Structures are given as structure tokens and as C-alpha cells.
Amino acid sequence: VRRRAKRSKALGFQGMLLIHPEQIGPVRDAYRPSAREVESARRIIGLYDDAYRRGMGAVRVDDQMIDAANIVAYRRVLHDAET
């Protein structure tokens, strides 16, 4: 179960259906964001928030354009890290 959960997360899925209570822990662990993902999300949100306060709708971070839609996903990373 743990291996399948890690693979599905790597493919972009956000969760799995479970049929047994013993699957909850391994799947939760597999989907929990890594420390690196959390750090990156905080950094990107901070840069975007600074740009937004200056009236910008998007910001370039590591050769990637970040806008409000991206920030929703990064805030989800932080939320998932807390649960």
C-alpha cells in the first residue's frame, strides 16, 4: 500500500480510496509533503505575497511564473503538512 501510494502521489494524484483501517497510516505518510516541499511552498508563497502587495499578479520564481492559481496548490501543501 505504501509503495502504491508513493507512486500515485508521484503521478499527481492527491489521495487514494482505502478499504481497511490499517491502510490509513501508510497512505497518509506517503502523501504527507516532505520538508523540502514545505520549505519550497513557504518560499514561493512569500515571494508571491510580496509581489502581490506591490500590485503584481504574478512573480517569476526559479524560471517559473507563479500566479494565484499556483498559490492555491502551494497553500494546500502547507495545509497537508499540518494534518
Side-chain angles (χ1 to χ4, degrees), residues 7-56:
R7 174 93 170 117
S8 66
K9 180 184 177 187
L11 291 171
F13 290 93
Q14 295 180 337
M16 293 177 63
L17 292 175
L18 306 176
I19 60 172
H20 194 279
E22 288 183 14
Q23 296 173 324
I24 295 170
V27 171
R28 183 180 290 148
D29 292 344
Y31 275 90
R32 185 170 287 123
S34 69
R36 185 176 183 188
E37 290 170 317
V38 171
E39 179 183 326
S40 177
R42 285 187 178 132
R43 178 176 154 264
I44 290 170
I45 291 169
L47 292 170
Y48 175 81
D49 287 348
D50 289 342
Y52 185 81
R53 282 190 287 275
R54 290 181 281 139
M56 299 167 63

